Amino acid sequence: MGNDFQVQDRFADGAQYIGGRLRSGTSGRRQEVVNPATGDTVYTYELAGTADVDAAVAAAREAFPGWSGATPAERSEAMHRFAAVLAGQADDFAYAESLQCGKPVKLSTGFDVPGTVDNTSFFAGAARHLEGKSAAEYDGDHTSYVRREAIGVIGSIAPWNYPLQMAAWKVLPAIAAGNTIVLKPAEITPLTSLMFAQAATDAGIPDGVINIVTGAGRDAGEHLVGHPDVVMTSFTGSTAVGKRVAEIATSTVKRLHLELGGKAPFVVFDDADLEAAVNGAVAGSLINTGQDCTAATRAYVQRPLYDAFVQGVAALMETVRLGDPFDPKTDLGPLISHAQRDRVAGFVERARAYATVVTGGEAPGGELEAGAYYRPTLVAGAAQDSEIVQSEIFGPVLVVLPFDTDDEGIALANDTPYGLAASAWSRDLYRANRATREIKAGCVWINDHIPIISEMPHGGYKASGFGKDMSSYSFEEYTQVKHVMYDNTAVARKDWHRTIFGDR
């Protein structure tokens, strides 16, 4: 994998994709893409400046009439070709994603890439199924119907944890609905977003429909969000940055979609299958080295199972294999950077003053010392209001707390500002149903944690944001709903005119 893929050659013309071609940025500032498993620089490029954002928005605006005017069938056919191109380049995408993120190759080949191909196929079909109310004579004298129309140029910002999938989640529903888009990926992980846009061009999607500007958030990102020709902003990232995005977007009366932070609870009732819960907790907390806004971060375990759960999770975490992301046997790769590794370690080190680190809590040495690795970590004995329970860590750290009653378990699950995802573990149907009703999160899994599917929506409650990615619900974000009403009476003076003309 990747033997014929030379990053510096592939993107020699630059890391901006505007109007169907690669070009260099104009900010005057250089950026390195670093392999976090080794610390080696794999690509250096010039960041986008405001002029590049302007050019990308202009290209998207120019492409909008033709793309939005295409029939749903034409857009669908183009997106089916897009899915086929992506599938044909799967190995290159997996290599590039693992290279820039440090993901184990079994994650990029088994999750990121096939998930993106599936998302593309789903939206290729969804492009032909924009829903609205049936046309009818709701007041007897008029026929009403609803149109769903593309809204214009979308300006989206995606994070570094799932660069390929997040590019797809932003781009696909937008273009399926007939919009054009300018996407700003994280400047440290631009490779697969650029490849995604190139694949769209290879599939025959017109130039300018998908544009990529790779720049810093305070320059390219804020200029994109505030651009007068951008009609909607979709942002995925931290809640703190999301607040800034919202300030800029609302000042220009843009439509806004925010998918922000998470602190997902993992609630284990005393009748749960303990083995399943232990396996689910380790997998759910360590997915993507814990750099997942839906990852299990807070395990609440009813007291009869608590000790056995702690022992089981610690023992299983200690079997997880850290190593070279391109080794198929590697279970856990590095964090995205040394800075992120140090941030995660800081949470754990501060927690030692008030909690117990059961396992992990350190960076490995030896041949992994040059990478941004951190061992799977379990923390017990923390208070509910402590930093490590309340704050998003974004690393391979699980905190476990006991609870006594079902009421207490659900209350603790809801006791953070976030509400993106959660899970509950029970063999009791009524307990499980209660958890799905009362836990305030955009997704609640029962007896599992993490799986997502293209047909179902992803989005949060509370400080985790609003709006939905994936599924047909995402068209609510990317279409304008228009009511059209026809008079059926052919009468010049309508009955309601009496409110103006009186008895004349």
Side-chain angles (χ1 to χ4, degrees), residues 166-378:
M166 294 297 98
W169 286 15
K170 300 301 182 195
V171 168
L172 296 172
I175 69 170
N179 302 287
T180 56
I181 189 167
V182 179
L183 173 73
K184 192 200 89 64
E187 58 269 35
I188 60 174
T189 55
L191 303 182
T192 48
S193 298
L194 294 166
M195 293 168 62
F196 190 71
Q198 288 177 311
T201 299
D202 293 344
I205 291 176
D207 294 349
V209 172
I210 302 172
N211 306 275
I212 309 293
V213 289
T214 311
R218 289 194 177 274
D219 300 322
E222 292 198 1
H223 190 62
L224 178 61
V225 174
H227 199 289
D229 291 333
V230 169
V231 298
M232 173 184 165
T233 291
S234 177
F235 170 81
T236 296
S238 72
T239 298
V241 178
K243 290 177 180 178
R244 175 61 180 157
V245 169
E247 289 174 1
I248 299 170
T250 53
S251 70
T252 54
V253 199
K254 285 179 172 53
R255 187 179 295 196
L256 184 60
H257 169 210
L258 298 174
E259 198 266 89
L260 306 176
K263 190 70 177 175
F266 186 101
V267 183
V268 182
F269 293 103
D270 58 14
D271 67 326
D273 180 328
L274 180 62
E275 182 182 7
V278 166
N279 280 273
V282 174
S285 63
L286 300 184
I287 181 77
N288 202 35
T289 318
Q291 299 167 126
D292 186 311
C293 48
T294 65
T297 59
R298 298 178 289 139
Y300 297 104
V301 183
Q302 207 151 24
R303 207 167 295 272
L305 295 184
Y306 178 78
D307 289 340
F309 179 88
V310 171
Q311 293 167 10
V313 168
L316 189 55
M317 278 187 169
E318 288 166 5
T319 70
V320 171
R321 298 166 297 189
L322 283 68
D324 177 2
F326 293 102
D327 183 342
K329 295 180 180 179
T330 293
D331 300 319
L332 201 71
L335 290 148
I336 191 65
S337 66
H338 286 85
Q340 178 66 12
R341 192 268 311 276
D342 293 345
R343 179 181 180 276
V344 170
F347 277 101
V348 177
E349 290 309 306
R350 291 189 296 273
R352 292 183 190 276
Y354 55 80
T356 300
V357 177
V358 181
T359 190
E362 62 181 3
E367 61 185 24
L368 299 180
E369 190 171 5
Y373 289 89
Y374 196 75
R375 294 195 185 282
T377 299
L378 180 66

Side-chain angles (χ1 to χ4, degrees), residues 18-204:
I18 299 172
R21 67 181 182 88
L22 287 169
R23 52 191 270 184
S24 184
T26 61
S27 71
R29 295 194 308 280
R30 306 286 286 175
Q31 173 71 42
E32 293 181 342
V33 177
V34 175
N35 178 352
T38 62
D40 295 336
T41 297
V42 299
Y43 179 54
T44 303
Y45 68 95
E46 191 160 350
L47 289 163
T50 57
D52 303 302
V53 174
D54 291 341
V57 172
R61 188 177 181 186
E62 182 179 355
F64 177 73
W67 183 248
S68 63
T71 66
E74 289 169 337
R75 289 197 295 270
S76 176
E77 289 168 5
M79 292 182 70
H80 278 299
R81 294 194 301 270
F82 188 12
V85 171
L86 293 171
Q89 299 176 8
D91 284 351
D92 280 351
F93 273 100
Y95 175 79
E97 194 78 335
S98 289
L99 186 69
Q100 68 181 352
C101 298
K103 294 174 184 284
V105 72
K106 66 182 180 182
L107 178 64
S108 56
T109 58
F111 185 76
D112 297 72
V113 174
T116 299
V117 174
D118 186 70
N119 286 167
T120 308
S121 295
F122 172 82
F123 280 108
R128 302 183 72 162
H129 293 91
L130 294 177
E131 295 182 353
K133 262 192 171 182
S134 298
E137 291 68 51
Y138 292 100
D139 72 350
D141 291 335
H142 303 82
T143 297
S144 288
Y145 67 89
V146 168
R147 290 178 56 88
R148 282 196 179 273
E149 297 179 350
I151 58 178
V153 177
I154 312 300
S156 292
I157 299 176
W160 47 257
N161 58 330
Y162 289 101
L164 176 59
Q165 286 203 310
M166 294 297 98
W169 286 15
K170 300 301 182 195
V171 168
L172 296 172
I175 69 170
N179 302 287
T180 56
I181 189 167
V182 179
L183 173 73
K184 192 200 89 64
E187 58 269 35
I188 60 174
T189 55
L191 303 182
T192 48
S193 298
L194 294 166
M195 293 168 62
F196 190 71
Q198 288 177 311
T201 299
D202 293 344

